[in-house]
Amino acid sequence: MRPFREALTSLVRHPVLAVLSVTSIGLSLFVVGLFGLTAHNIASALSNVEEKVEIVAYLSDEIGEARVRLTRSEIGSFPEVLSVRYVSKTEALYNASRELTEFSDVFPDLDVNPLPASLEIRLRAGHRGPEAVSAVASRISAYDFVEDVRFGRDWVNRIHTLRRIAGGAAVILGGSFALVAMLLVGTTVRMSIHARSSEIAIMENVGATAGFIQRPFLVEGLMTGLLGGILALALTYGAYRLLDRAVLEVLWMPDGWTLAGILTGGLLGMLAAGRSVRRELRSLYAI
Amino acid sequence: MIRFRDVTKHYPRSGTALGEVSFHVRKGEFVFLTGPSGAGKTTVLRLVHMEIAPTKGDVMVSRFSSSRIRRREIPQLRRRVGFVFQDFRLLERFTAEENVAFVLQVTGASRSEIKPKVHRLLDHVGLAPRATAYPNELSGGERQRVAIARALATDPLVLLADEPTGNLDERASIGVFELVRRVNGLGTAVIFATHDATLLRRYQDVRVLELERGRLVYDSGTDAAVRPPLRRAPGAPIFELLDEKAAASRAGEGAGPTA
Ligand SMILES: Nc1ncnc2c1ncn2[C@@H]1O[C@H](COP(=O)(O)OP(=O)(O)OP(=O)(O)O)[C@@H](O)[C@H]1O
Ligand SMILES: [Mg+2]
């Protein structure tokens, strides 16, 4: 209990610095939070489209039923492949006439079915990234009766890149903010140590343990950081509500992320405090 | 209980503060540590308190040796060695009783034992009626009593007093001395650093260790029966010498500015 009381006293003693410290940690984690929100939304959008990602292999008209069956089971046994569906020429025409209603009158009049048969291949989760998709696609296109292979390579690539950029920006921006925040927290803790120098001298004189002397300052850093984390959470949530209402449907982050954010704040605060404690109280019981 | 073995202390920037000092202070003993300014009295006390380590030799306090003690053992040593300063060093924003209680809190005393113990300590130093006074509401003598109560809070084996009467007038000095003496009577050893001639002259039964320029030049000995007279071999008794010095400086002042 004592370390918490002492830490509170310290924070109250330098209110301006305390507010600055909390705010700076809050802002740095807010930056991370915004990017986290973005990344989470991109990721969930991606996983929606990725589920639909199919490699479509168009087959030559010359291929016989038996070859098709064999090939289908061969492809089906690729480790990345979830399922393979055969779409015959007739089915393709039927689908097309249903989807393209404007032309529905045209299709029954056709003498020859112009649409090729195809295999629609779905991949297992974890093999839906751009590299995996094109690897499987190129293996399939190696069959000589496969005329063409289609997959959404370009936009899959682009979304993945976007996600990586968002992550990188979060790390760089949030990281530099966090650095400034840690400097501020460190300074605040240093001021607290100085404000208590006469008490520390007495404690050292009468034999309080080093841990006992140092603990309140570490707790001060921890509390500053946790408060900053909570502030960041509030700001991020505010931003989320604003976006959700004004712009588009936005998903909130998983609870684990918000908890991790607050704990990160606490950790940053404690690390910063630890650095100040190590420096300022270096000579504690040194002879 | 406290043993100095050929202790030499060099300070990095001012050279030798102590040279090959050896002595032994027994459990429950009372010792005056005297000598002119800069002789090394504070250095001796700081060595006992293990704030500094000897450059050569060894300081042994209870079971702790300066050459073997670990950093994390020093708090334990400090709880066995009370320290009183010339300038009191009370915490100004705490009352007398809070100053004493603070020490108990930070050395892990249980909550229930703090209050009665603080009361007992303040009572012991004769300050129970002023328990809720702040240091700036107390006289110098009273402040030193609070400081002594605080130093005794951890039940030390030895009390180190570094010119505790240096800021006090004669009456208050004698009061503080008598208090420390009573503390000693209850079993706490005392090393009392002073160059107060009045005290030295008044309490001739007390063992005297005298330093001069970092050397131990005189030890009146432990055993009262065989104690040599308080005189510097082969010169005058120490307090007379001190008096002579004082007289000389007064004469110097009287004669006007000196070179
Ligand atoms: N921390 C220090 N660093 C360097 N030199 C020091 C330090 N402390 C003391 N000295 C030197 O060591 C010598 C002994 O000092 P010390 O304080 O032990 O003397 P003292 O007997 O207590 O003097 P006084 O009666 O004035 O308090 C002096 O020459 C002093 O200048
Ligand atoms: Mg001194």
Side-chain angles (χ1 to χ4, degrees), chain A residues 1-2 5-6 9 13 196 198-200 202-210 212 281-287, chain B residues 49-53 66 69 71 74-75 78-79 81 83 85 89 91 93-94 102-103 105-107 111 150 154:
Chain A
M1 220 40 238
R2 192 196 86 105
R5 201 157 15 86
E6 302 280 304
T9 317
R13 187 175 300 154
R196 288 179 180 262
S198 53
E199 276 157 64
I200 292 169
I202 298 297
M203 287 194 262
E204 193 178 2
N205 195 267
V206 300
T209 60
F212 185 90
L281 300 177
R282 192 179 342 138
S283 64
L284 212 56
Y285 296 122
I287 62 169
Chain B
H49 209 226
M50 302 212 184
E51 290 167 35
I52 51 176
S66 63
I69 193 166
R71 193 167 177 172
I74 292 179
R78 296 280 170 90
R79 294 177 194 199
V81 182
F83 207 113
F85 305 92
R89 304 204 192 166
L91 297 172
R93 63 187 181 89
F94 287 166
F102 179 74
V103 172
Q105 284 157 14
V106 304
T107 52
R111 204 177 270 247
R150 178 176 70 182
T154 54

Side-chain angles (χ1 to χ4, degrees), chain A residues 170-192:
Chain A
V171 168
I172 292 167
L173 269 175
S176 28
F177 271 79
L179 223 67
V180 174
M182 284 176 74
L183 286 176
L184 267 165
V185 174
T187 306
T188 310
V189 170
R190 237 183 15 240
M191 302 270 292
S192 301

